[in-house]
Amino acid sequence: MKTAVIMGTRPEIIKLAPIIEKLPKSKNSVIFTGQHYDYSMGLRFIDQLGLRRPDYSLKLSKSNPTTQTGEIILKLSKILQEINPDTVIVQGDTNTVLASAITALKSGIPISHVESGLRSYDWRMPEEHNRIATDHVSEFLFAPTKTSKKNLIEEKVHGKCFVTGNTVIDSINKFSKLSSKKSSVDIQDSNYILMTLHRAENVDHKISLTSIIKAVIHSKENIIFPVHPRTIKKLHDYNLYNKLQNSKNVSLIDSVGYFDMLELMKKSLFIITDSGGIQEEITSPNIKKKAIIVRKTTDRPESIESGFAQLVGVSYPKILSTIKFTVNHPDVSSKKSPYGTGKTSETIIKILRKNLRR
């Protein structure tokens, strides 16, 4: 079985790492599209996780989503013609995933979509466009949960659907054991709330972002905020950065590596986030934290249903009151993670080998 694993962002690297490590190097090519062109958001994670360097790395000249997707397709098509794999493996819902799926489809190469079937039913989210389109052109769809598979069946996708769990649990099982030694973040006090923000529907909208920032400042709780580079720009654009910097309770730090983030999550009281990945990671027995989700919709309803996360929207009063309540009630559900036990990568590879005999 000859494969090509394509990734372009931090979450893809983390979630595809367990699959890459289990595939023989001689029959697997790793391609990095450079969608996260900033080293700190892309190749840094490949280095930190000890993954082998990509066999191919694209250099993109455009960051606009439309031109970026087109540029990936043009450059990737030549590479796939050279490799001629039995399948292209993609993960998630990024521009890289959509561009890779289109290229593989037009090259006559079966697409294997890891983390398929997620739905927010929120068309404002570019991730929703990408994942739906990719699901409908994929031959092998690896759904993390029964809910995700049900979505695929109801949409009548033509590919084969499998419930496998989520590879993020595989990664946490391995890397959380190393994070205390490899993390460079010096955390003396565990009495803090961790916050992350990067979703376009929040950071690109002044009213939503202002409501979130106003709530965390007025909570007066100790908050550590690793700031995504794109979020920094928007905070400056909306005159919010100085307010955070001048607040007495919010500590702004640069975006951090994977081991640092694991340690920040493990030692926090709870988490405020708009991240989809964090909604999954908090359910791992190695993290097990509650999360306040500052979004109007979520594509991870399993995290809500299992009691690990609470969807609160983006209104100032609701966010503030939920922070205050959760400070006094930070305990999480005793339920198991809805995303599997950490054997997802093995399951996916077994399925591919069975279906791609070569």
Side-chain angles (χ1 to χ4, degrees):
M1 180 180 72
K2 190 177 180 184
T3 61
V5 177
I6 306 176
M7 54 193 185
T9 66
R10 163 183 171 165
E12 291 165 281
I13 294 167
I14 293 168
K15 292 183 176 182
L16 286 171
I19 293 176
I20 293 171
E21 289 185 329
K22 290 179 177 65
L23 289 170
K25 184 177 180 180
S26 60
K27 293 187 177 181
N28 172 249
S29 297
V30 177
I31 304 168
F32 184 68
T33 67
Q35 181 179 330
H36 272 175
Y37 50 86
D38 187 320
Y39 172 78
S40 67
M41 299 302 294
L43 290 174
R44 172 187 186 181
F45 284 82
I46 293 175
D47 293 338
Q48 285 190 338
L49 299 185
L51 291 176
R52 62 185 175 96
R53 276 274 169 158
D55 300 284
Y56 302 88
S57 291
L58 307 185
K59 290 186 178 181
L60 305 180
S61 58
K62 305 291 183 182
S63 58
N64 175 279
T66 304
T67 52
Q68 184 184 73
T69 302
E71 192 173 0
I72 292 173
I73 291 171
L74 286 172
K75 294 184 176 182
L76 193 57
S77 62
K78 297 177 182 178
I79 296 172
L80 292 184
Q81 286 175 17
E82 177 186 333
I83 299 171
N84 189 28
D86 296 321
T87 187
V88 159
I89 301 173
V90 293
Q91 184 280 325
D93 48 30
T94 66
N95 291 337
T96 286
V97 171
L98 178 61
S100 301
I102 292 171
T103 308
L105 177 69
K106 295 303 180 181
S107 301
I109 302 168
I111 301 154
S112 298
H113 188 197
V114 177
E115 199 181 82
S116 64
L118 274 65
R119 298 290 183 269
S120 66
Y121 302 105
D122 185 345
W123 205 243
R124 298 172 306 145
M125 297 175 61
E127 295 87 355
E128 188 80 349
H129 316 160
N130 295 343
R131 65 168 72 107
I132 289 175
T134 301
D135 281 339
H136 281 270
V137 298
S138 294
E139 296 296 329
F140 306 106
L141 299 103
F142 301 113
T145 66
K146 291 180 180 178
T147 300
S148 301
K149 183 179 179 180
K150 183 172 179 284
N151 293 337
L152 295 170
I153 292 171
E154 288 178 348
E155 291 178 14
K156 295 181 171 59
V157 297
H158 86 281
K160 296 180 179 180
C161 304
F162 307 89
V163 177
T164 60
N166 197 303
T167 54
V168 74
I169 304 299
D170 300 32
S171 288
I172 290 182
N173 282 356
K174 177 178 179 179
F175 295 116
S176 64
K177 299 172 184 176
L178 306 172
S179 60
S180 60
K181 295 180 180 179
K182 292 184 174 287
S183 172
S184 58
V185 173
D186 186 16
I187 307 167
Q188 302 296 331
D189 184 8
S190 62
N191 188 31
Y192 66 86
I193 301 164
L194 176 65
M195 182 169 78
T196 76
L197 294 172
H198 76 278
R199 289 280 180 180
E201 66 262 31
N202 282 334
V203 301
D204 288 356
H205 291 81
K206 184 176 181 179
I207 294 175
S208 296
L209 189 58
T210 300
S211 293
I212 297 168
I213 298 306
K214 181 181 175 184
V216 298
I217 291 175
H218 288 182
S219 75
K220 298 182 181 179
E221 301 295 337
N222 183 20
I223 293 171
I224 296 179
F225 183 12
V227 195
H228 190 286
R230 189 164 166 277
T231 305
I232 290 177
K233 181 181 182 305
K234 292 299 180 179
L235 288 169
H236 281 295
D237 289 346
Y238 303 146
N239 297 315
L240 295 169
Y241 190 85
N242 286 340
K243 290 182 180 180
L244 281 168
Q245 206 168 35
N246 294 331
S247 70
K248 295 180 179 180
N249 64 307
V250 181
S251 299
L252 297 172
I253 63 174
D254 292 336
S255 61
V256 297
Y258 185 50
F259 294 117
D260 295 330
M261 182 57 73
L262 287 176
E263 284 301 295
L264 285 168
M265 285 195 290
K266 285 195 292 184
K267 295 181 178 180
S268 67
L269 188 62
F270 61 90
I271 302 166
I272 302 168
T273 188
D274 60 8
S275 164
I278 287 179
Q279 291 179 62
E280 299 159 347
E281 290 170 331
I282 57 170
T283 71
S284 164
N286 296 298
I287 304 294
K288 207 167 187 180
K289 297 292 179 180
K290 186 172 284 187
I292 295 173
I293 312 303
V294 285
R295 286 165 60 176
K296 295 179 180 179
T297 59
T298 181
D299 34 25
R300 274 81 172 180
E302 299 90 346
S303 297
I304 309 293
E305 293 161 4
S306 57
F308 285 92
Q310 181 178 355
L311 187 68
V312 300
V314 292
S315 75
Y316 163 76
K318 181 64 173 177
I319 296 171
L320 181 59
S321 64
T322 306
I323 291 173
K324 289 297 186 183
F325 178 84
T326 310
V327 165
N328 295 316
H329 303 86
D331 295 336
V332 294
S333 166
S334 59
K335 292 182 180 179
K336 294 180 180 179
S337 171
Y339 303 107
T341 60
K343 302 291 184 180
T344 298
S345 53
E346 294 176 16
T347 302
I348 288 171
I349 292 171
K350 285 179 182 177
I351 292 170
L352 288 177
R353 282 179 175 152
K354 183 180 179 180
N355 285 273
L356 295 169
R357 297 183 182 277
R358 176 174 160 184

